[in-house]
């Protein structure tokens, strides 16, 4: 792979805190190597800003290997930038060329208020999980792990849904700011396993209700979420959620 | 000598006897007792959830925006358990033995045996929570092999085992949050332990959004804050992983055990340039199917695929025929360094070796698939195609990650890998009950020193984190709290809270008022360079002595010339980082001191002065069969305490993987 170096113009959202008004600031960065990750390019910019006596740009990041779900930049109109199935931290600068202008914003959704610059508050996702995204089993009461065989196909599907990293790109991409891909991934993960069967009705009803309460919008099935999901969570999970929801809702003994 | 409070009796009965006799707290009293849990990785989340389930009032803290993001999430390969589902001769004893031997006889027998015992419960617990482990077509759990063992005991979920286990623990934690038994404080960083009458009674934490400093009371405090590999700047740890919570406890009197025991993981994506912010691991599970080699010719300019089979040196298979590519991490790392130092390294920097999947892709998986599909005499192309599909299933996410970072396709060309800092076996000294020498202050998971000796085996970190949180602390903490039921919650207006908060505030102000010219990052990089060069894969007395001087100098420079922009009562990531780097510098000095004091090689600690003729680590059991537990005595000053290691069950020998 040929490496190259580039000069770039960055237009980045700056916002002092949750209540302040934000605006785009324009920055120039020079001699960026195509081998760098996108966040390493931001490191370079922040070092530059510190040397100039300016405030660096606040952004969320942690593992930098695409698994913690912390990084969350809206790059050139797309959550996590131009690469398919990739988090911001795994996006590398060879995706860009010399002279490019890159626009970087935070996730935009009422349920994800901006904390500072590119940092948003995603605690709504934790509260959605609290409403039922678990199997109610206390430590120490379990039977042997091989007591219940699980059909390989279902185990694989459950795993594929459980791969969600809770980054919120699905919400950021959705014109309705719907969290349905996130909710459906958890509902599917647990509904596909025999261990999750017992609570499946309450789970889906409660999680959808909580998502509504948090201010996430409704799903109109535009599939924008699937297109940007860094873990390529499939929208068939949303279909499964709809079917789970319908079944739970139709069940007469469930009052909510 | 330190008392590790190991119960009397036969090794295999100790834990059962302990559980049968430890003190209990009745349910009504549990509701009156408050426990602080710092960190929400596998150890912290599992502890907080389990203690909440028991009825204690728990407050959990993490610096990330959600407990689900703790760095346990990035663990890839798997989790060990002595289930013997494969019928290949595994047992609690074998897991215990492998772990003690893998740790080069520098861990505690009783702790490791307990770990092996509860390993089987962990898998059951996780399955019940809905952790989607890999399964065979019959629906039963699948296993794979990891380094340092000759059985298949590693449970996994593709290359995302840590993620799936953490999500399981996180969901259990959130369930307790919903039930009101756990109160969660995200984006909070612990900055001091509050001590009252010699016991840990709370913490001082900073809200990382408002910048405000807060006081929190607890009848006991659990530090589940992970390891300190980021002292090297470049490591496989997350950017935020830090030693601060453990270090504050150390400054308050908690001993730091074996600080120099660092794990350098053999298979990481090599460093490419100065811009790099972190290194990325390629799971050890890849050594199941990947063969490690370098060219037989020095400075060979050819591309990997142009080098014929007989001109490749599969040096691990050559040097260690019994374990081959699955030798423990410390052994594999040193062997890679040896080849590169001798001029056989590959890639542009020559600081890399190949990890090659082609052989097993074709011969193991390709042939098996062809046979399954009834294809007779398959051609090479068919084998590659079929083999690729299986490899993709097993390691797909890792291969994708490699390609995103390097721009090379590992299905076509071998991966280039090199060792990198990954884990720290050292940590806060704890006794059998996971309590530090400070009453009421516990350390769990990677934050403690206890189970892995001088080298951790693969797939054992997840096991230990969850063992500590799910199955050990719920028992041992009762033994302490049973005597605390009469202790009323201490108001946070108590003088000790006030003083501790004032100390924290003073340090923050001091940092902000330096107003120097160099960034925090630049200091961290320089510290990392000193540590990697002089306290890294190979260490010697001269280098370590120099490193101590250099770090002291760097520390002075930091405290007079660091530049932290922004303010205090706001989100200020540079200020957060500055506090952590300041602590790393002090820790770095102690690591070098510990490495210098331990004039033997063991596990990942390789003193050049102490090696066999073949270049293997040479222990000195007569002089160093102990845990080094360091007590802080003020600036750059420590006192060494020793915990003698006694081996009743296993006779320490020279480790042999040949």
């Amino acid at each position: 792979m040929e490496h190259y170096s580039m000069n770039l113009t960055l237009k980045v959202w700056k916002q002092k805190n949750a209540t302040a008004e934000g605006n785009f600031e324009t920055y120039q960065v020079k001699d960026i190597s195509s081998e760098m990750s996108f966040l390493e390019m931001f490191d370079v910019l922040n070092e530059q800003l510190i040397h100039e006596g300016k405030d660096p740009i606040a952004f969320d990041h942690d593992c930098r290997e695409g698994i913690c779900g912390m990084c969350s930049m809206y790059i050139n109109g797309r959550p996590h930038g131009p690469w398919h199935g990739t988090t911001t931290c795994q996006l590398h600068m060879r995706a860009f060329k010399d002279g490019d202008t890159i626009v970087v914003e935070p996730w935009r959704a009422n349920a994800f208020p901006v904390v500072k610059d590119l940092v948003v508050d995603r605690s709504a996702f934790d509260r959605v999980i609290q409403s039922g995204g678990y199997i109610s089993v206390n430590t120490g009461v379990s039977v042997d792990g091989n007591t219940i065989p699980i059909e390989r196909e279902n185990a694989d599907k459950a795993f594929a849904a459980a791969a969600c990293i809770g980054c919120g790109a699905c919400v950021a991409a959705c014109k309705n700011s719907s969290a349905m891909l996130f909710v459906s991934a958890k509902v599917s993960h647990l509904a596909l396993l025999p261990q999750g069967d017992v609570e499946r009705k309450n789970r889906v009803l409660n999680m959808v209700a909580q998502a509504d309460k948090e201010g996430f919008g409704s799903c109109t099935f535009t599939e924008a979420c699937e297109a940007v999901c860094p873990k390529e969570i499939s929208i068939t999970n949303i279909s499964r959620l709809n079917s789970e929801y319908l079944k739970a809702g139709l069940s007469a003994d469930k009052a909510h | 000598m330190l008392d590790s409070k190991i119960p009397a009796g036969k090794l295999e009965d100790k834990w059962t006897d302990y559980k049968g006799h430890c003190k209990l707290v009745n349910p009504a009293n549990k509701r009156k007792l408050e426990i602080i849990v710092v960190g929400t990785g596998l150890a912290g989340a599992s502890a907080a959830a389990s203690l909440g389930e028991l009825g204690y009032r728990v407050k959990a803290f993490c610096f990330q925006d959600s407990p689900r993001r703790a760095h346990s999430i990035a663990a890839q390969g798997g989790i060990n358990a002595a289930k013997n589902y494969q019928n290949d001769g595994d047992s609690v004893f074998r897991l215990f033995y492998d772990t003690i031997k893998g740790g080069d006889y520098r861990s505690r027998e009783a702790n490791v045996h307990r770990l092996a015992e509860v390993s089987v419960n962990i898998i059951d617990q996780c399955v019940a929570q809905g952790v989607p482990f890999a399964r065979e077509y019959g629906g039963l759990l699948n296993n794979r092999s990891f380094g340092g063992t000759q059985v298949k005991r590693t449970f996994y979920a593709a290359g995302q085992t840590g993620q799936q286990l953490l999500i399981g623990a996180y969901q259990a934690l959130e369930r307790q949050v919903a039930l009101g038994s756990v109160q969660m404080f995200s984006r909070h960083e612990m900055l001091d332990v509050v001590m009252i009458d010699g016991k840990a009674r709370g913490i001082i934490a900073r809200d990382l959004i408002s910048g405000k400093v807060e006081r929190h009371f607890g009848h006991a405090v659990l530090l589940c804050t992970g390891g300190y590999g980021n002292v090297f700047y470049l490591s496989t740890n997350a950017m935020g992983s830090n030693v601060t919570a453990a270090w504050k406890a150390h400054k308050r009197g908690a001993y730091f055990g074996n600080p120099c025991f660092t794990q350098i993981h053999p298979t990481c994506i090599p460093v490419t340039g100065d811009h790099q912010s972190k290194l990325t691991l390629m799971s050890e599970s890849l050594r199941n199917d990947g063969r490690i080699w370098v060219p037989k010719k020095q400075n060979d300019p050819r591309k990997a695929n142009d080098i014929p089979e007989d001109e490749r040196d599969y040096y691990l298979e050559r040097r260690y025929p019994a374990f081959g590519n699955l030798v423990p991490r410390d052994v594999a790392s040193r062997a890679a360094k040896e080849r590169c130092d001798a001029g056989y390294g590959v890639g542009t920097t020559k600081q890399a070796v190949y990890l090659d999947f082609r052989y097993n892709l074709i011969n193991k998986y390709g042939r098996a698939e062809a046979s399954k599909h009834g294809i007779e005499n398959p051609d090479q192309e068919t084998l590659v195609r079929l083999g690729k599909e299986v490899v993709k299933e097993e390691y797909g996410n890792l291969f994708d990650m490699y390609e995103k970072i390097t721009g090379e396709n590992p299905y076509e060309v071998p991966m280039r890998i090199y060792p990198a800092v990954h884990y720290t076996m050292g940590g806060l000294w704890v006794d059998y009950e996971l309590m530090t020498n400070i009453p009421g202050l516990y350390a769990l998971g990677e934050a403690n020193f206890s189970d892995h000796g001088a080298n951790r085996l693969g797939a054992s970190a997840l096991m230990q984190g969850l063992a500590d949180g799910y199955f050990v602390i719920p028992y041992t903490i009762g033994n302490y709290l049973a005597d605390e039921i009469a202790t009323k919650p201490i108001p946070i207006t108590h003088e000790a809270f006030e003083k501790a908060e004032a100390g924290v505030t003073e340090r923050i102000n001091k940092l902000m008022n330096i107003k120097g010219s160099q960034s925090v990052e630049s200091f961290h990089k320089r510290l990392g360079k000193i540590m990697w060069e002089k306290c890294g894969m190979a260490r010697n007395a001269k280098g370590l002595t120099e490193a101590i001087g250099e770090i002291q100098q760097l520390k002075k420079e930091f405290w007079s010339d660091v530049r932290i922009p922004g303010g205090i009562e706001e989100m200020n990531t540079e200020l957060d980082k500055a506090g952590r780097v300041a602590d790393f510098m002090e820790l770095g000095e102690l690591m070098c001191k510990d490495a210098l004091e331990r004039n033997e090689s063991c596990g990942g600690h390789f003193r050049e002065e102490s090696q066999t003729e073949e270049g293997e680590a040479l222990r000195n059991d007569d002089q160093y069969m102990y845990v080094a537990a360091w007590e802080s005595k003020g600036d750059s000053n420590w006192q060494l305490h020793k915990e003698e290691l006694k081996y009743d069950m296993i006779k320490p020998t020279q480790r042999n993987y040949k």
Side-chain angles (χ1 to χ4, degrees), chain A residues 35-187:
Chain A
E35 283 186 288
M36 280 184 195
S37 72
F38 196 78
L39 295 185
E40 283 164 354
M41 183 269 291
F42 258 74
D43 293 341
V44 170
L45 171 59
N46 273 346
E47 281 293 288
Q48 189 180 310
L49 292 173
I50 292 166
H51 278 286
E52 290 167 5
K54 295 181 186 149
D55 272 2
I57 299 156
F59 62 93
D60 265 335
H61 64 110
D62 199 25
C63 79
R64 295 206 179 186
E65 16 185 302
I67 196 76
C68 75
M70 193 107 175
C71 61
S72 48
M73 291 185 186
Y74 198 84
I75 302 161
N76 287 345
R78 198 184 147 96
H80 294 305
W83 283 1
H84 185 71
T86 306
T87 55
T88 302
C89 66
Q90 294 291 284
L91 175 64
H92 277 63
M93 293 312 292
R94 61 179 183 278
F96 301 94
K97 55 183 195 304
D98 189 32
D100 276 358
T101 297
I102 307 175
V103 182
V104 186
E105 298 169 76
W107 286 173
R108 306 275 192 195
N110 283 340
F112 289 162
V114 172
V115 172
K116 182 179 182 180
D117 300 343
L118 302 172
V119 177
V120 298
D121 176 357
R122 286 169 288 191
S123 55
F125 270 9
D126 287 333
R127 290 187 294 274
V128 169
I129 296 296
Q130 284 159 27
S131 72
Y134 45 75
I135 291 169
S136 298
V137 51
N138 282 1
T139 302
V141 296
S142 337
V143 296
D144 183 89
N146 260 348
T147 308
I148 310 171
I150 300 175
E151 199 184 331
R152 169 83 183 256
E153 200 188 321
N154 279 349
D156 287 350
K157 278 187 198 156
F159 171 75
C164 169
I165 56 174
C167 66
C170 47
V171 175
C174 179
K175 62 174 181 158
N176 306 323
S177 299
S178 171
M180 220 33 85
L181 192 65
F182 170 78
V183 178
S184 71
K186 190 46 63 193
V187 165

Side-chain angles (χ1 to χ4, degrees), chain B residues 25-41:
Chain B
V25 180
N26 87 22
N29 284 328
K30 283 198 183 97
R31 284 195 288 275
K32 293 184 211 152
L33 293 166
E34 300 177 35
I35 301 172
I36 286 174
V37 180
V38 186
T40 59

Side-chain angles (χ1 to χ4, degrees), chain B residues 294 335-346 350-353 418:
Chain B
V294 291
K337 181 179 190 293
E338 187 277 328
R339 283 292 81 187
C340 293
D341 289 352
Y344 296 91
V346 301
K350 300 289 171 199
Q351 290 292 303
V353 299
Y418 197 70

Side-chain angles (χ1 to χ4, degrees), chain A residues 211-232:
Chain A
D212 287 347
K213 206 170 130 191
E214 295 291 345
F216 293 111
S218 301
C219 173
T220 50
F221 228 71
T222 66
E223 305 179 28
C225 50
E226 185 190 71
V228 302
C229 175
K231 295 296 143 181
E232 301 175 69

Side-chain angles (χ1 to χ4, degrees), chain B residues 207-314:
Chain B
D207 178 333
L208 298 180
I209 291 182
S210 69
K212 292 208 165 54
V213 176
E214 300 170 359
R215 309 169 186 184
H216 296 275
F217 165 79
H219 287 89
V221 176
L222 275 52
L223 302 184
C224 313
T225 49
Y228 48 87
N230 269 348
V231 67
F232 291 88
Y233 184 72
L234 284 181
S235 82
T236 66
N237 286 188
M239 301 301 285
S241 301
N242 66 79
V243 77
T244 288
W247 198 250
K248 301 303 183 194
H250 175 59
K251 302 284 271 192
R252 286 277 175 195
Y255 296 171
F256 213 102
N258 296 332
C260 81
F261 285 176
T262 313
Q263 175 156 84
I264 317 273
H265 195 294
T267 55
C268 302
I269 300 178
V271 178
T272 54
D274 286 339
H275 60 266
Q276 220 154 346
S277 59
K278 78 155 271 158
L279 298 173
T280 303
L281 174 74
M282 286 288 110
S283 166
E284 178 163 318
S285 61
L286 294 171
R287 285 198 270 145
N288 270 288
D289 292 315
R291 299 176 70 198
I292 293 177
W293 63 275
V294 291
K296 279 186 181 165
K297 215 164 71 190
Q298 275 177 328
N299 300 312
D300 196 325
R302 289 175 293 180
K303 286 186 174 147
N305 288 342
D306 297 338
I307 300 175
E309 193 59 32
D310 61 353
E311 290 178 42
R312 299 175 176 194
D313 176 17
Y314 295 92

